Amino acid sequence: MRHTSLLILIFAGLVQSPGAMAQFSGSFNAQPGIDLSGAWSPAPHEESIGNPAIADFLGVPINKGARALGLAWSPSRVTVPEHQCQVHVAPYIMGGPLNLRIWEERQSQSQKLEDIRMYISTYEQNRTIWMDDRPHPPEAAAHTWMGFSTGKWEGNTLTVYTTHLKAGYLRRNGLPESDQATLTEHFMRHGDYLLHVSEVTDPATLTEPFVRTQIFRRISEEGQNWLYPCESVVEIANQPRGAVPNYLPDENPFIAEFAAKYGIPLAATLGGAETMYPEFQRKMKELAALRK
Amino acid sequence: MAKLIFASAAATIGIFAIAGLVFAQKNQFPWDDYRVEGDLTTIHVQGNVYMIHGLGGNVAVQIGDTGVLVVNTGLEQNSSKLIAAIRKLSDKPLQYIINTCAHPDQTGGNEALRKIGVTITGANVTGDIADAGQGAQIIAHENVLDRLSAPTGQKAAAPAGAWPTDTYVSGQKEVFFNEEPVEVRWQPAAHTDGDSLVIFRRSDVVATGDIFSTVSYPFIDVERGGGIQGEIDALNNIIDIAIPKHEEEGGTYIIPGHGRICDEFDVVEYRDMVTIVRDRVRNAIKKGMTLEQIKTAGFTKDYDARWSAKEGPGTADNFVAAIYRSLKASPSR
């Protein structure tokens, strides 16, 4: 008897409410945002500089400490077994080269968007961008190469905030990013193109946010390279246990190499916030005039 | 029935909300299972092992069917908080306390925790030594006992109830507890002369004590037998023990003396920093520079923003001074 009453009530509700019927046709989960799913590959962009030269810190708003650390870095560091498979942290890896696959994970019953996944072919990295308003982990939690990310839709722009990143490179020539860095990203899709804007802040190495942009284009070709097995080996015979190749202060012989190759004032190649801005061109001319 | 389900779900949510407990469905990283209560954070690291953060030094807790084992006990004033946090993880008896050094931020809660614990005894011991079963065992290197105790008539650094009850003098001490081999390995002349690494072999977790920290330069206590070469050797030992799961991430997890949960690469970054600063100070000594000149030269300026503590032993000046004193006393130490 009670069951019969309940069914009548439900039926009455459905009949009286066209909106309720519409929910079952799929609109009750209407959410902002667009579908970013697919395979993507970066087009050439401002940071596509291949393997950066030693002491090429141009355009990076580093502080004095980061500069000193970059100048002490020896390329032989990557011969150390534990550095051989060192992954590029999330802010750097998105600069490519890479293949990027994006897909959505939705709750099976409600089809509500739970998280957006990214698989990055370089170093076989997985990112999860939580879309369910969960808090970031506590300070004492572990850090990872890709960090912990939460996202939200701002119109059709996906904005992602990432914490708990490992220490890594701002640029793969020893320019450091600390494990205190945070990353804010904006993903904007325009058909088969995906604009990615990233902003790194790091109290330990940067004086201003480091902003980069790049474009991914949709790829549909088969045969993309999606794997990246890495196993460290002994690269230097008789390398002492615990060896950490580095240059002592003022002993790096390659500091001026990049500046000389491209005819750029050394002061410019050593980076800093002012080298990011157009006004620095005037200073470049002044520095060049001084050299003459 | 529906009411019952709703009430049950609401109660469950309420319990979690009160505890500040966060559960995630996908247990991928050790940030998925944690509890934050005030300034205390309890995180499931891996396997049987948890980390309690916010007590002064970090405390590692191993739980299982047999009982509870803790590595270090935090500051004395936080003992009741630590006991409460352990009791939320397990109601089994606390049987083992392991100290990784003698400093009060790692041994302060020894006495209080020992009191709530038990030592399993049997045979003739039970009858012959009346209090043999009272209190948990405290395991540490012999030098920790020497630092905490004192000859008769002299004032000890800690009350007798806080002293190690089971010491070792070289190599390692082994315990099999909660179906897990636990190694306690001596690291000579590192942070102090009594440091131990604690290795949970089944859980694949290493508790390092103050040999490794994520919040400051290492505290090399030269007065108590610490030394720069021993510190670097110990960091390299941790790196040798740890095996990452994939691309230098995950696998073996590391609980530092202070700071956050780590894996091998975090220790690698720290080892690199300590080694590079050691190289610079050693080179300066070879050039005949004094300690004051070395401090003024700013050999840590590239690391200070990340690693220099505002005060205490983890400041840049104290770190450089410890390296200098250590190298001057013995170039190999």
Side-chain angles (χ1 to χ4, degrees):
Chain A
M1 177 64 188
R2 288 175 63 191
H3 288 171
T4 308
S5 302
L6 189 61
L7 285 172
I8 290 168
L9 274 171
I10 291 170
F11 181 75
L14 292 176
V15 169
Q16 288 171 10
S17 171
M21 287 298 282
Q23 284 182 358
F24 288 102
S25 64
S27 69
F28 85 117
N29 262 325
Q31 293 168 30
I34 57 172
D35 190 359
L36 302 179
S37 300
W40 304 87
S41 185
H45 59 90
E46 65 190 56
E47 281 287 313
S48 290
I49 54 177
N51 288 315
I54 294 173
D56 169 11
F57 306 153
L58 262 171
V60 188
I62 48 173
N63 62 23
K64 288 179 182 176
R67 181 180 299 115
L69 201 51
L71 295 177
W73 185 79
S74 163
S76 293
R77 187 80 58 83
V78 296
T79 66
V80 173
E82 296 82 17
H83 282 289
Q84 290 173 23
C85 298
Q86 175 180 342
V87 175
H88 296 165
V89 282
Y92 194 66
I93 203 169
M94 296 299 281
L98 77 161
N99 292 310
L100 170 68
R101 184 184 296 127
I102 302 177
W103 70 98
E104 296 178 339
E105 292 287 336
R106 291 178 177 269
Q107 290 174 358
S108 59
Q109 294 300 311
S110 67
Q111 285 300 299
K112 186 181 177 188
L113 181 63
E114 191 175 41
D115 53 89
I116 295 172
R117 300 291 178 95
M118 295 184 179
Y119 174 77
I120 296 164
S121 60
T122 309
Y123 298 105
E124 295 178 13
Q125 293 298 297
N126 287 283
R127 296 185 68 182
T128 300
I129 297 160
W130 296 104
M131 301 296 287
D132 56 0
D133 295 325
R134 69 179 56 198
H136 281 242
E139 187 185 342
H143 288 210
T144 64
W145 298 118
M146 296 298 107
F148 184 93
S149 301
T150 51
K152 63 180 177 182
W153 289 107
E154 296 177 321
N156 282 340
T157 297
L158 173 65
T159 295
V160 179
Y161 179 60
T162 301
T163 59
H164 293 75
L165 289 159
K166 278 188 178 301
Y169 296 128
L170 281 167
R171 191 171 276 173
R172 197 176 63 171
N173 55 5
L175 209 52
E177 180 183 295
S178 86
D179 61 351
Q180 297 179 336
T182 58
L183 170 66
T184 302
E185 297 164 283
H186 305 285
F187 292 87
M188 290 159 267
R189 181 173 184 170
H190 304 281
D192 283 344
Y193 290 91
L194 181 64
L195 176 62
H196 176 239
V197 180
S198 70
E199 179 182 328
V200 183
T201 60
D202 184 357
T205 65
L206 297 173
T207 59
E208 293 183 22
F210 183 28
V211 180
R212 285 170 285 196
T213 60
Q214 62 179 312
I215 292 173
F216 289 88
R217 59 185 175 76
R218 188 126 194 248
I219 51 174
S220 54
E221 301 93 340
E222 288 294 328
Q224 303 306 309
N225 188 3
W226 292 99
L227 294 175
Y228 203 100
C230 183
E231 183 181 333
S232 62
V233 295
V234 174
E235 291 190 354
I236 307 290
N238 301 320
Q239 190 173 47
R241 177 176 182 259
V244 183
N246 70 95
Y247 289 113
L248 292 167
D250 305 321
E251 291 190 11
N252 186 339
F254 304 110
I255 291 173
E257 198 176 57
F258 172 70
K261 183 177 180 182
Y262 292 98
I264 304 168
L266 181 63
T269 65
L270 296 180
E274 66 174 345
T275 65
M276 291 195 302
Y277 296 108
E279 294 78 16
F280 191 70
Q281 292 175 51
R282 197 181 311 127
K283 188 170 180 180
M284 290 263 283
K285 286 177 183 168
E286 291 167 7
L287 290 167
L290 281 175
R291 283 200 304 166
K292 291 173 185 170
Chain B
M1 182 63 183
K3 269 184 182 176
L4 184 61
I5 291 169
F6 177 78
S8 172
T12 308
I13 291 165
I15 289 164
F16 288 166
I18 290 165
L21 194 63
V22 176
F23 285 115
Q25 292 79 27
K26 300 174 180 72
N27 192 26
Q28 295 178 322
F29 299 107
W31 55 41
D32 282 350
D33 185 357
Y34 62 85
R35 179 191 296 125
V36 178
E37 290 167 297
D39 51 5
L40 211 66
T41 303
T42 302
I43 305 185
H44 182 207
V45 181
Q46 191 159 256
N48 292 335
V49 180
Y50 292 73
M51 180 179 95
I52 303 177
H53 172 82
L55 298 156
N58 286 332
V59 176
V61 184
Q62 185 228 34
I63 61 172
D65 289 342
T66 317
V68 177
L69 176 154
V70 300
V71 181
N72 293 327
T73 55
L75 289 165
E76 183 183 4
Q77 61 265 32
N78 295 327
S79 300
S80 55
K81 281 189 201 174
L82 173 57
I83 292 167
I86 291 169
R87 282 294 162 243
K88 284 179 183 166
L89 293 173
S90 171
D91 58 2
K92 301 278 184 182
L94 172 64
Q95 291 193 41
Y96 292 105
I97 298 166
I98 302 173
N99 287 148
T100 58
C101 70
H103 285 154
D105 58 338
Q106 307 292 7
T107 60
N110 273 13
E111 188 172 32
L113 260 76
R114 178 167 152 68
K115 280 181 186 167
I116 67 158
V118 296
T119 296
I120 305 299
T121 63
N124 55 335
V125 171
T126 309
D128 296 346
I129 308 172
D131 62 351
Q134 293 176 14
Q137 278 182 251
I138 303 179
I139 296 172
H141 188 268
E142 178 80 4
N143 291 340
V144 174
L145 175 60
D146 291 346
R147 301 289 179 197
L148 293 178
S149 60
T152 305
Q154 293 181 27
K155 183 171 169 50
W163 299 352
T165 59
D166 188 357
T167 63
Y168 70 108
V169 293
S170 63
Q172 67 186 46
K173 170 86 177 169
E174 297 170 355
V175 177
F176 193 91
F177 193 60
N178 287 324
E179 294 300 314
E180 175 162 47
V182 182
E183 288 181 46
V184 187
R185 283 193 201 172
W186 185 37
Q187 305 299 300
H191 156 63
T192 67
D193 59 6
D195 298 315
S196 295
L197 297 177
V198 182
I199 304 157
F200 297 95
R201 284 174 37 172
R202 191 156 160 254
S203 297
D204 202 8
V205 173
V206 182
T208 70
D210 286 339
I211 290 166
F212 175 51
S213 163
T214 68
V215 300
S216 74
Y217 288 121
F219 171 21
I220 299 172
D221 191 346
V222 181
E223 298 285 332
R224 291 172 181 77
I228 181 63
Q229 191 54 50
E231 169 72 20
I232 291 171
D233 288 345
L235 290 169
N236 282 316
N237 289 342
I238 299 166
I239 292 167
D240 284 349
I241 294 164
I243 299 176
K245 181 179 178 182
H246 175 69
E247 317 288 53
E248 279 300 318
E249 184 175 274
T252 308
Y253 278 99
I254 316 287
I255 299 177
H258 295 263
R260 64 175 172 82
I261 296 170
C262 293
D263 59 19
E264 181 187 62
F265 192 81
D266 299 304
V267 185
V268 168
E269 283 285 298
Y270 198 73
R271 182 277 312 268
D272 287 2
M273 175 271 289
V274 174
T275 304
I276 288 170
V277 176
R278 186 277 313 269
D279 289 351
R280 293 171 183 176
V281 175
R282 185 167 60 187
N283 183 58
I285 291 172
K286 280 183 188 165
K287 288 180 175 175
M289 292 174 72
T290 65
L291 176 57
E292 286 312 308
Q293 287 171 326
I294 289 171
K295 283 182 178 175
T296 308
F299 288 140
T300 59
K301 67 182 176 188
D302 35 0
Y303 290 112
D304 286 347
R306 173 62 184 88
W307 294 110
S308 185
K310 289 186 174 64
E311 57 187 6
T315 64
D317 273 1
N318 285 328
F319 177 45
V320 167
I323 297 173
Y324 180 88
R325 291 176 59 201
S326 178
L327 290 173
K328 289 293 272 187
S330 169
S332 64
R333 205 181 125 189

